[in-house]
Amino acid sequence: MNVILITIDCLRSDHVSCLGYHKRTTRNLDNLAKEGVLFSQAISTGTNTLISFPGILASSYPQYRAKDRKWLPKDKPLISEILKKGGYKTAAFHSAPFLSRYFSYDRGFDVFYDSFVFKHSKIGGKIMGSKYEMYKGAVLKAKLLFSTFMSPYIPYEECRIINKRAIQWLQNNAQSGEFFLWLHYMDTHFPYSILKKYSSWHLSKSSVNKIMRKMVLNKENITDSELKLIIEMYDSAIRYVDAEIGLFMEKLKEMDLYDSSLIVVTADHGDEFREHGSIGHGSIAHARPQKPYDELIHVPLIIRCPGLGKGLIIEQVVSLLDIAPTILDSIGFQREDEFLGESLLTVIRKRRKTSGVISESYIFRAQKEIISYRTSEWKLIVDKNTNEYELYNLKEDPGETKNLYKIEMDKAEEMMHKILYHERLKERERMKRHIKKLKRKI
């Protein structure tokens, strides 16, 4: 069975129509959900791309390394590596700086189109020669910062271009064996723009540019009317991505690949629109880290698999750690021992009930974590930098506005044990890596 993984940057669940959004934004994703399984409480492992993607591709939490921020664990296999070893052709197409070769996300891929670095690699190679690889990370960061401050447009490639390249690859490779294809779209990531075809709002390019620069330089003073416009730009980007996903699905049908493929669609995290005081989802230099509130960690997850069932809605809380084990289980591969997640097939077939999900954020300057434990009804957030605790009853307070930590101490203590257990496991992993390192030196 072929495997297609589609990830969408910054897509929060409550802006997806089939998950309750009052606007029509995701007609094609809604249709995909009707043909497969929709998880109404899928939770990311982190609040930004660097923290969340190890969960999706390696079924692992990030390995924090303050020096280079290459947080993809070196000793954990990616789903791409496992499938390649199992005889699959593997390809990835994306335009995300923090998923580039520099951050080691090309592991296990026969073809890895990494447009942000790919575009400038020839230029960099000519200027720096063999030293380009050494300085590529610095070039990447400089380009990102320059693009953000000098123009509101970071050079992400549109999803239609990503799809075009992926389709070309499929035409050349899909008929000669099973494949794993990963597509990641950046169109729903800041900076936004008004896409006329997907919005009834009309705004000049200079007005859009002005607001985008304000989001970078002065987001604390974004007005209510400007925030409404920002949300409309975000929604128009969602409609655009959804439309392109629809066209991609039609192409799969034309190539007789749709019905023979496992298709997984999810997001790495969401974006905050001042629900808890900020806009966006932080950055590598963010002084005020975003805490793992639901607008940042509650994401869509849709799985369409031949024989799995149609129109199913799973209301149990699940983790994006479970995606890679689910892929292996669906295609008959043995579970990878290093994976922390479990196959969601056992949840779909009602053989397993889930308990809760750990999510993390990271305070870059203090080098300390913020950790949450979320069940279907409760969430505890522990800020290790300030020693602050927040407890929310999500059933009665889905907006996470009333901190019950000092009122529901028994519930907080019960959930705190889960966070402490998670920390012990991570410490054990750190010790293992340290011992391996010492053995290599000896």
Side-chain angles (χ1 to χ4, degrees), residues 331-345:
I331 63 176
F333 275 41
Q334 188 175 348
R335 184 185 183 279
E336 169 59 46
D337 291 338
E338 293 290 337
F339 283 175
L340 299 179
E342 299 290 338
S343 170
L344 291 172
L345 299 192

Side-chain angles (χ1 to χ4, degrees), residues 185-423:
Y185 304 135
M186 289 294 290
D187 306 75
T188 44
H189 191 288
F190 168 86
Y192 313 123
S193 63
I194 281 286
L195 300 172
K196 293 179 182 178
K197 189 177 176 181
Y198 302 101
S199 175
S200 59
W201 292 44
H202 300 285
L203 211 70
S204 68
K205 192 172 180 179
S206 61
S207 299
V208 172
N209 292 359
K210 184 178 178 182
I211 292 175
M212 290 300 98
R213 287 197 180 95
K214 191 171 181 179
M215 278 188 70
V216 174
L217 301 170
N218 193 18
K219 69 166 66 177
E220 293 78 12
N221 292 315
I222 293 284
T223 66
D224 290 344
S225 60
E226 287 171 334
L227 183 61
K228 285 181 182 178
L229 175 60
I230 288 166
I231 292 171
E232 177 60 25
M233 287 191 276
Y234 177 71
D235 285 344
S236 73
I238 295 172
R239 291 188 191 100
Y240 167 58
V241 169
D242 179 77
E244 291 299 321
I245 288 175
L247 292 173
F248 184 73
M249 295 301 157
E250 287 302 316
K251 198 67 182 177
L252 290 177
K253 290 173 184 176
E254 286 177 24
M255 300 172 71
D256 291 326
L257 296 172
Y258 185 76
D259 289 326
S260 60
S261 298
L262 164 65
I263 301 172
V264 180
V265 180
T266 191
D268 53 350
H269 56 79
D271 255 350
E272 185 179 346
F273 294 118
R274 215 159 57 197
E275 289 87 354
H276 289 90
S278 189
I279 300 172
H281 59 277
S283 70
I284 59 172
H286 207 275
R288 176 191 175 275
Q290 264 76 5
K291 293 182 180 180
Y293 297 118
D294 265 18
E295 55 265 23
L296 291 176
I297 62 170
H298 188 185
V299 296
L301 175 59
I302 300 168
I303 298 177
R304 186 195 181 280
C305 181
L308 194 57
K310 293 185 176 182
L312 300 177
I313 299 176
I314 304 298
E315 296 182 350
Q316 293 187 57
V317 64
V318 299
S319 172
L320 297 195
L321 287 173
D322 300 330
I323 288 176
T326 303
I327 290 172
L328 294 185
D329 194 8
S330 299
I331 63 176
F333 275 41
Q334 188 175 348
R335 184 185 183 279
E336 169 59 46
D337 291 338
E338 293 290 337
F339 283 175
L340 299 179
E342 299 290 338
S343 170
L344 291 172
L345 299 192
T346 59
V347 176
I348 295 167
R349 293 165 180 162
K350 298 181 179 179
R351 295 202 303 263
R352 174 170 70 95
K353 286 189 175 180
T354 61
S355 52
V357 173
I358 292 284
S359 300
E360 299 178 342
S361 187
Y362 193 74
I363 305 171
F364 294 93
R365 293 182 182 180
Q367 293 183 25
K368 289 191 177 180
E369 297 163 80
I370 300 174
I371 303 176
S372 71
Y373 180 72
R374 187 196 189 281
T375 67
S376 296
E377 295 185 6
W378 292 88
K379 182 192 287 181
L380 176 67
I381 300 175
V382 178
D383 188 332
K384 295 175 70 177
N385 186 47
T386 61
N387 290 320
E388 293 176 334
Y389 300 84
E390 298 173 38
L391 179 70
Y392 299 103
N393 184 328
L394 300 176
K395 210 166 189 178
E396 296 177 3
D397 178 27
E400 299 167 271
T401 60
K402 188 177 180 182
N403 185 359
L404 301 177
Y405 178 73
K406 293 183 178 178
I407 300 170
E408 298 280 356
M409 291 295 289
D410 288 344
K411 174 58 71 174
E413 185 177 354
E414 173 192 326
M415 298 182 78
M416 188 65 198
H417 284 302
K418 302 290 186 181
I419 290 177
L420 291 173
Y421 179 70
H422 168 72
E423 289 183 309

Side-chain angles (χ1 to χ4, degrees), residues 69 97-98 116 120 136-156 190-191 212-213 216-217 282-286 365:
R69 299 195 179 104
F98 296 119
F116 196 89
H120 310 288
K136 188 162 60 176
V139 171
L140 175 64
K141 291 172 189 176
K143 181 76 179 175
L144 181 63
L145 291 170
F146 179 81
S147 302
T148 303
F149 285 99
M150 299 307 292
S151 164
Y153 297 107
I154 300 174
Y156 304 138
F190 168 86
M212 290 300 98
R213 287 197 180 95
V216 174
L217 301 170
S283 70
I284 59 172
H286 207 275
R365 293 182 182 180

